[in-house]
Amino acid sequence: MNLQEIVMRLERFWAEQGCIIQQPYDIEVGAGTMNPATTLRVLGPEPWRVAYVEPSRRPTDGRYGENPNRLQHYYQFQVIIQPAPEEIQEMYLESLKTLGIEPGDHDIRFVEDDWESPTIGAWGLGWEVWLDGMEITQFTYFQQVGGVDMDPVAAEITYGIERIAMFVQKVDSVYDLEWVGKVRYGDVHHRGEVEHSTYNFEVSDTDMLFRLFSMYEAEARRTIAEGLVLPAYDYVLKCSHTFNLLDARNAISVTERTGFISRVRAIASACCEAYVKQRKDMGFPLMNKFEPRAGR
Amino acid sequence: MNYRDLLLEIGTEEIPSRFISPALSAVSEAAAEEFKAERLTFEKIQVLGTPRRIAIIVRSLALKQEDKTEEFRGPAWGSAFDASGNPAKAAKGFARSKGVEVEALEKRVVGEQEFAVAVVRQEGKDTREILPGLLGKVARSITFPKSMYWDSTFNRFARPVRWLLSIYGEEYVSVEFGTVRSDRFTRGHRFMGQKKIEIASVGEYLEKLHDNFVIADPGKRREKMLSGVSAIEKEIGGKAVLDRDLVEENLFLVEYPVPFYGSFDQSFLEIPEEVLITSMKNHQRYFPVRDGAGALKPFFIGVSNNRATNMSVVREGNERVLKARLSDAAFFWAEDQKVPLSAKVDSLKKVIHHEKLGTVFEKVAHVRELCGLLCGKLHLSKADTRLVDRAVYLSRADNVTDMVYEFPELRGVMGREYALRNGEDPRVALALYEQYLPAFSGDKTPSDVIGAVLGICERIDTITGGFKAGLQPSGSQDPYGIRRASRTVNEIIWGVGMDVNVAEMLELSSENRGLSQEDRDAVLEFTHQRLHNQLREREFSHEMTTLAISVTGSRPMQTLRFLEAFREIQGADWFRGLIISAVRVRNILQKSETSDHVLDVGLFREDAERELFEAVDSLSIQVADAVNSCDWDRLTKILAKLEPFITVFFDKVLVMDKDELIRNNRIALLERCNRLFETSGDLGLLKT
């Protein structure tokens, strides 16, 4: 099964479970969780069911395209269902079947792995899912986002698309994955890994990044004061990515690190709080709009 | 039959393996306590647990609570009944409040007075009435290191509770947890068993689960797992490394263990085995395999939770994952060796050790200075001193290697391995590893003095540095690991047998770190207290430990040897006698108004006086000598010689003579005795 087929099948599957299929956000994020379709939408009492692919950037994980398993840019397939249904684990296992992964043929395990994102003040408990020893999915029950307690609790399922594809296609290097036909993953992304690794580790302008961080932070604060939650949150994401770029240059010492993280958390929390209030003022318009297994 | 078996099963999503064992003990203790409080007798509680269920079977639980008789004291008899025995208002009210007839009140004498007493007999209730509330309470009482909520009731558990099953004999018990209500069903293995299994009696629970590929009894599951592992051992001709914690972890990661094995490329065996083992154990939970000579074999044993249609699919998948991990490790191993360790030391200037205590490089500099001083105090040879200095210089260089960045638990191991390949002295390489010993309570201590000196000095600096940065432990908090450091210093000293004066080293380190006088005092007080506690853990009495520390000062090795020497004589009659005498000396001197009496041999009236004087006179010098040379066996022998003289003295001589001169002379003699005891340790402090 090629890479795009895997994505399309997951989309089809989750659409059938009543998820809306969104597209990636248009600002760099470290993970699908940072997309406002997760971070903001899980806040407050409104139900929410969504699935989307998220290209995720982790500058420090770059390996110049030399390591067969590590990338500074990779794809996540993100699913959020709120409130978390009782049979969420079974739903997930069903989704694997659509990829040709029959649980009876393998050893699938839910192994303790808790999740925490200090930059957005969020945490949850859950598992990493093992498929014959390989971690293919992160499964989390959110407990808190932006410092706000979850009510109701959302379940988050994050598939590592490359990992699953490598398993399905039985290849040892991510670059050998079949995207479709003769086109390999390497054809699409190898050059990007080389260039971005070089940029992130060697070329980026540290002084500019520090300036940008402060400018983005200030703009987030100014915008939130104007009551514009969504644009403000965009600047939170820009801050977070800028921080990651600085981190890749080792420009932030251990001492300063905590300070930078708490600066991002402060504006993220402010956005989350404002979002909850905004939805309340709007009368929680998504109430009763999701029906399980609507889809098609 | 007046009893039946009871089953409670809490069905969950996968609970973290490390939580399950403690939760099983907790649930069984909570149940036993609740039964006791409710006067319900039972034979025993069997605990059952897998990642998806926590269950107990209570054997022979009584059908009914035990009856209870309680007596309540009411008003004085005189005010309850008049002379002709008619009840007054007070008696009626009291009887009514206790639910007994007023005629049933009994007369009891308590102290000097007569009271009306209500004897209330409560018949035991039917167990079935009590169980629903009781079991709900037991289920909610289980706590976990980390717990979550998942539904609108906000009840907490390690992971969501999805079903409940409770049967008493053959009757269902209704139990609730959050939105979940008990029903007649359990669930089988996620992939091999049925989703819904009706259980009609406690008796068939385990059997039906077994038919559905769930071995709920951890003991039986362990047996099955280990027998599978030994079959594999025979097949591949090796021995699995069955680390206890890893066995336990695997046990609680599966409902039905299916051990399998896989192999990896022989070429990976060139990497140090600790690296391979860490990759296998920490990331993949595999058991490594050794050959008869103890060398690692290119195999691993995993425990699958599923008997897959074709186990070779599971094996191949796992082999691919391990290959990727080991390739990473091989890459780091090669990369790290491009530059020798010594060339990495400079980059420690960029690594923050602690925000208040500067860089790792600075930390090493502090430790290096202390090491030089300690080598001098211990009179190490010039050659050894040079090795210590080289070891401390390289001590943290492996922290900036790729391998340690990836596997922090391999620090020390990688230092040793890289140092050996860089042509460093093997004793230096060994010290880079042994500086971290003992790594846990009961672990081995360094085998060579080089690592021991490094280890002691590093921890001494941790203690003073921690106090300097305001990171001293308080309550259960110990953010900088100071308690551990203090404890480890003593462990190394005892394990290696080094006579280090810890207080002296702490003083030097305090100077080095620029501690205030107040902090210095606190450091000494703290470490003194730790030493005391550690010795208490070794079963020395509080008094003996205090005595030993008072004599040996801050030299833990001597303190321990002193205690060991005295433990030999602890049961001896003469020693008990000597303590009694010492207590008497102490008491008499405390009561006497003046001190510094002049001893006059001419004033002795009894032989016992003269003989005690002579004994004390000659033994005092010997005692001082034994103490100075730390010869504690000799000290006990000298005290043994003293004992008969002092015992006879107290037998034969009355200290408080009417003649003031004689009395004062005898007190002066006891002062001499006391001075001897001050040197040997104040035996008067000991209890007999």
Side-chain angles (χ1 to χ4, degrees):
Chain A
M1 196 181 300
N2 65 43
L3 188 83
Q4 64 193 36
E5 180 65 24
I6 289 173
V7 172
M8 290 188 288
R9 287 194 188 197
L10 285 175
E11 285 181 341
R12 171 61 58 197
F13 176 85
W14 287 105
E16 285 167 6
Q17 313 307 314
C19 290
I20 64 162
I21 304 302
Q22 269 196 260
Q23 303 302 323
Y25 204 53
D26 57 353
I27 292 178
E28 304 95 326
V29 292
T33 312
M34 305 284 282
N35 185 323
T38 291
T39 308
L40 298 181
R41 290 290 184 184
V42 297
L43 298 166
E46 292 169 282
W48 183 242
R49 291 187 167 221
V50 70
Y52 54 86
V53 173
E54 191 68 56
S56 305
R57 299 227 195 184
R58 306 248 168 117
T60 47
D61 283 351
R63 293 292 183 274
Y64 297 86
E66 288 165 13
N67 184 303
N69 298 299
R70 288 205 205 201
L71 302 164
Q72 55 81 41
H73 170 284
Y74 69 106
Y75 294 102
Q76 291 185 341
F77 190 88
Q78 168 90 351
V79 179
I80 292 288
I81 302 195
Q82 170 169 301
E86 226 187 283
E87 65 290 353
I88 184 73
Q89 282 182 301
E90 286 74 18
M91 287 164 84
Y92 166 73
L93 293 169
E94 282 299 311
S95 77
L96 294 183
K97 289 186 190 167
T98 69
L99 305 179
I101 300 168
E102 282 296 329
D105 295 342
H106 300 281
D107 177 28
I108 298 178
R109 230 87 73 77
F110 292 86
V111 180
E112 175 189 16
D113 191 34
D114 302 335
W115 169 83
E116 185 183 18
S117 168
T119 34
I120 54 171
W123 68 277
L125 301 190
W127 311 274
E128 48 185 46
V129 181
W130 286 12
L131 172 59
D132 295 341
M134 181 189 269
E135 183 197 338
I136 54 163
T137 303
Q138 192 72 41
F139 198 127
T140 308
Y141 287 104
F142 285 159
Q143 301 287 289
Q144 211 176 53
V145 172
V148 181
D149 286 338
M150 290 288 97
D151 180 17
V153 172
E156 179 197 58
I157 298 174
T158 307
Y159 301 78
I161 293 180
E162 289 86 349
R163 288 283 188 88
I164 291 181
M166 286 169 78
F167 184 89
V168 171
Q169 297 183 18
K170 294 192 182 353
V171 301
D172 289 336
S173 166
V174 66
Y175 298 110
D176 294 336
L177 281 174
E178 181 198 339
W179 196 291
V180 64
K182 288 184 181 160
V183 182
R184 307 285 126 178
Y185 192 94
D187 294 325
V188 180
H189 282 306
H190 187 267
R191 184 68 201 170
E193 285 300 312
V194 177
E195 289 198 10
H196 280 294
S197 296
T198 312
Y199 176 79
N200 296 340
F201 290 131
E202 301 167 35
V203 176
S204 69
D205 181 342
T206 304
D207 289 340
M208 179 199 73
L209 291 173
F210 274 121
R211 279 201 307 280
L212 283 180
F213 184 92
S214 297
M215 287 165 72
Y216 291 150
E217 184 193 26
E219 189 67 350
R221 289 188 181 287
R222 195 177 69 82
T223 313
I224 199 104
E226 296 286 335
L228 299 171
V229 181
L230 302 175
Y233 186 71
D234 284 355
Y235 284 99
V236 172
L237 294 181
K238 286 172 194 280
C239 267
S240 171
H241 180 60
T242 307
F243 169 79
N244 291 341
L245 286 172
L246 284 164
D247 204 24
R249 290 304 302 271
N250 264 328
I252 297 173
S253 73
V254 182
T255 338
E256 295 165 319
R257 222 185 139 71
T258 349
F260 272 89
I261 290 174
S262 66
R263 280 165 71 184
V264 181
R265 187 170 55 238
I267 49 176
S269 296
C271 286
C272 290
E273 270 167 45
Y275 179 83
V276 174
K277 188 174 171 301
Q278 183 184 69
R279 299 300 292 182
K280 195 176 173 199
D281 293 346
M282 290 165 71
F284 299 125
L286 277 173
M287 279 314 209
N288 305 319
K289 286 211 176 151
F290 283 89
E291 288 165 40
R293 298 183 191 266
R296 288 193 198 261
Chain B
M1 240 179 17
N2 297 324
Y3 45 80
R4 292 175 193 168
D5 288 349
L6 168 76
L7 164 73
L8 171 68
E9 181 190 53
I10 305 169
T12 63
E13 295 182 1
E14 282 77 353
I15 298 177
S17 55
R18 65 197 170 99
F19 293 178
I20 303 175
S21 247
L24 294 181
S25 320
V27 72
S28 120
E29 276 165 35
E33 231 164 79
E34 289 297 327
F35 290 140
K36 194 177 163 209
E38 290 289 352
R39 310 191 314 279
L40 288 172
T41 61
F42 60 93
E43 188 199 327
K44 62 170 183 187
I45 298 178
Q46 182 183 4
V47 294
L48 305 162
T50 73
R52 290 181 74 208
R53 62 201 82 226
I54 285 176
I56 50 171
I57 293 180
V58 184
R59 299 289 176 195
S60 306
L61 179 66
L63 277 178
K64 175 172 164 307
Q65 284 179 310
E66 284 182 332
D67 296 341
K68 183 168 79 170
T69 305
E70 268 182 302
E71 294 191 356
F72 300 92
R73 197 170 82 189
W77 189 261
S79 58
F81 295 93
D82 64 20
S84 45
N86 297 317
K89 224 178 177 178
K92 288 180 191 162
F94 171 64
R96 195 166 46 243
S97 74
K98 294 297 164 206
V100 297
E101 296 297 323
V102 72
E103 293 78 24
L105 293 178
E106 295 175 19
K107 190 197 287 184
R108 295 280 163 86
V109 179
V110 181
E112 307 267 291
Q113 247 191 310
E114 290 179 332
F115 288 94
V117 166
V119 180
V120 181
R121 290 189 184 77
Q122 205 181 319
E123 203 183 323
K125 277 195 248 169
D126 189 325
T127 302
R128 286 169 300 187
E129 286 174 42
I130 298 161
L131 283 179
L134 184 149
L135 292 180
K137 205 167 155 193
V138 168
R140 281 186 298 276
S141 76
I142 309 173
T143 56
F144 300 92
K146 264 183 181 176
S147 63
M148 59 172 285
Y149 63 92
W150 59 94
D151 67 21
S152 54
T153 65
F154 298 98
N155 274 284
R156 301 182 83 88
F157 214 71
R159 290 295 182 274
V161 173
R162 291 304 184 202
W163 78 89
L164 292 165
L165 168 66
S166 180
I167 308 178
Y168 183 45
E170 291 179 0
E171 280 178 66
Y172 294 105
V173 182
S174 120
V175 186
E176 286 179 26
F177 190 102
T179 57
V180 183
R181 280 157 192 271
S182 59
D183 201 343
R184 296 168 291 143
F185 308 98
T186 183
R187 298 187 194 179
H189 187 278
R190 220 184 241 295
F191 308 118
M192 292 188 285
Q194 285 170 267
K195 282 232 146 52
K196 233 176 166 187
I197 305 160
E198 184 161 357
I199 303 292
S201 69
V202 178
E204 67 177 39
Y205 171 71
L206 284 174
E207 201 183 308
K208 280 207 170 173
L209 274 184
H210 195 270
D211 292 345
N212 283 279
F213 300 93
V214 174
I215 304 177
D217 182 334
K220 295 228 166 76
R221 203 160 66 244
R222 183 186 281 110
E223 247 169 59
K224 178 171 164 51
M225 181 171 103
L226 294 180
S227 83
V229 169
S230 19
I232 291 172
E233 286 177 328
K234 286 201 189 82
E235 192 179 336
I236 59 181
K239 199 93 196 111
V241 183
L242 294 172
D243 180 280
R244 236 191 91 211
D245 290 344
L246 192 61
V247 168
E248 198 71 1
E249 191 177 359
N250 269 302
L251 184 65
F252 286 107
L253 274 171
V254 298
E255 298 213 271
Y256 189 81
V258 184
F260 67 94
Y261 74 94
S263 59
F264 55 85
D265 200 289
Q266 193 90 30
S267 66
F268 287 122
L269 291 174
E270 284 161 26
I271 308 171
E273 67 163 46
E274 285 92 341
V275 176
L276 303 179
I277 291 173
T278 303
S279 280
M280 283 188 259
K281 276 168 52 167
N282 295 21
H283 293 294
Q284 302 298 135
R285 276 77 156 181
Y286 300 148
F287 300 113
V289 179
R290 292 187 187 282
D291 67 15
L296 220 52
K297 285 175 76 85
F299 289 107
F300 64 89
I301 298 176
V303 184
S304 169
N305 185 36
N306 193 27
R307 186 180 296 291
T309 325
N310 181 356
M311 279 305 287
S312 65
V313 171
V314 174
R315 191 188 71 224
E316 281 161 24
N318 279 279
E319 282 177 344
R320 248 197 331 272
V321 178
L322 184 62
K323 184 183 166 194
R325 295 225 181 256
L326 296 184
S327 303
D328 260 6
F331 174 78
F332 298 143
W333 175 241
E335 222 25 48
D336 283 341
Q337 289 183 75
K338 287 182 177 164
V339 200
L341 272 187
S342 52
K344 298 182 200 278
V345 172
D346 246 14
S347 51
L348 295 175
K349 287 176 183 164
K350 282 193 228 140
V351 183
I352 303 289
H353 165 64
H354 186 278
E355 51 184 299
K356 289 184 183 150
L357 294 167
T359 65
V360 175
F361 189 87
E362 286 166 319
K363 161 101 185 159
V364 171
H366 280 291
V367 178
R368 196 174 183 186
E369 198 173 331
L370 275 186
C371 280
L373 296 167
L374 183 55
C375 287
K377 303 240 176 240
L378 292 172
H379 307 294
L380 292 195
S381 70
K382 267 196 182 137
D384 280 3
T385 303
R386 265 201 303 276
L387 293 182
V388 168
D389 192 58
R390 183 66 180 170
V392 69
Y393 178 70
L394 296 174
S395 59
R396 292 301 157 104
D398 69 347
N399 290 14
V400 287
T401 61
D402 287 343
M403 193 74 86
V404 172
Y405 183 82
E406 191 66 18
F407 302 114
E409 62 270 45
L410 287 179
R411 61 176 200 173
V413 171
M414 297 325 296
R416 180 190 67 202
E417 296 300 323
Y418 291 137
L420 283 173
R421 276 151 190 90
N422 294 164
E424 298 288 345
D425 190 292
R427 291 178 68 196
V428 170
L430 183 63
L432 296 184
Y433 169 69
E434 292 194 332
Q435 63 175 319
Y436 295 109
L437 298 182
F440 49 88
S441 150
D443 191 16
K444 53 187 187 298
T445 48
S447 65
D448 189 9
V449 69
I450 312 295
V453 168
L454 179 50
I456 289 171
C457 291
E458 194 278 332
R459 274 120 181 151
I460 297 266
D461 180 70
T462 294
I463 298 167
T464 56
F467 272 78
K468 171 80 183 174
L471 298 167
Q472 41 277 74
S474 67
S476 62
Q477 302 287 308
D478 188 10
Y480 196 54
I482 292 176
R483 271 194 199 112
R484 209 187 138 72
S486 177
R487 162 176 288 274
T488 306
V489 167
N490 297 331
E491 295 292 345
I492 297 174
I493 286 171
W494 291 328
V496 183
M498 299 165 83
D499 195 2
V500 179
N501 185 327
V502 174
E504 198 174 81
M505 293 310 295
L506 285 165
E507 274 295 330
L508 291 167
S509 180
S510 297
E511 189 65 43
N512 201 334
R513 284 274 183 194
L515 263 64
S516 68
Q517 191 54 49
E518 192 187 334
D519 280 341
R520 289 176 192 216
D521 294 345
V523 163
L524 291 180
E525 170 59 30
F526 174 81
T527 49
H528 178 270
Q529 198 52 50
R530 298 319 297 170
L531 174 64
H532 199 284
N533 291 351
Q534 261 170 292
L535 290 165
R536 294 282 287 119
E537 283 166 25
R538 292 186 172 223
E539 316 267 298
F540 295 108
S541 71
H542 175 84
E543 292 77 15
M544 225 26 244
T545 303
T546 308
L547 177 79
I549 295 177
S550 79
V551 177
T552 59
S554 197
R555 293 161 71 183
M557 190 187 86
Q558 297 305 344
T559 315
L560 182 63
R561 292 197 177 159
F562 181 99
L563 285 166
E564 283 166 350
F566 275 70
R567 179 177 268 171
E568 296 293 309
I569 57 169
Q570 203 112 65
D573 287 341
W574 72 261
F575 188 60
R576 259 197 298 263
L578 187 63
I579 293 170
I580 294 168
S581 302
V583 172
R584 289 177 80 170
V585 171
R586 214 177 133 84
N587 290 344
I588 291 167
L589 292 181
Q590 267 168 7
K591 275 181 217 146
S592 80
E593 297 113 40
T594 53
S595 59
D596 290 335
H597 303 288
V598 182
L599 188 73
D600 181 354
V601 186
L603 285 169
F604 287 148
R605 290 288 175 270
E606 310 272 347
D607 286 347
E609 285 181 275
R610 195 166 296 111
E611 280 160 12
L612 176 62
F613 168 73
E614 279 159 11
V616 169
D617 203 38
S618 71
L619 293 178
S620 284
I621 299 161
Q622 293 183 38
V623 164
D625 204 39
V627 169
N628 284 336
S629 59
C630 298
D631 190 342
W632 312 118
D633 282 329
R634 191 166 149 232
L635 177 62
T636 62
K637 291 195 180 91
I638 299 164
L639 291 175
K641 278 188 211 157
L642 174 67
E643 186 272 336
F645 295 102
I646 196 159
T647 304
V648 168
F649 173 83
F650 279 119
D651 263 2
K652 301 267 159 86
V653 181
L654 180 71
V655 178
M656 294 301 157
D657 196 87
K658 282 176 221 142
D659 183 336
E660 192 184 350
L661 282 176
I662 291 174
R663 185 165 74 230
N664 284 344
N665 197 48
R666 286 177 181 166
I667 289 174
L669 174 57
L670 292 184
E671 277 166 358
R672 290 276 179 105
C673 288
N674 196 45
R675 241 169 280 151
L676 184 150
F677 288 142
E678 276 168 7
T679 319
S680 71
D682 190 350
L683 297 172
L685 285 173
L686 299 179
K687 286 179 193 150
T688 48

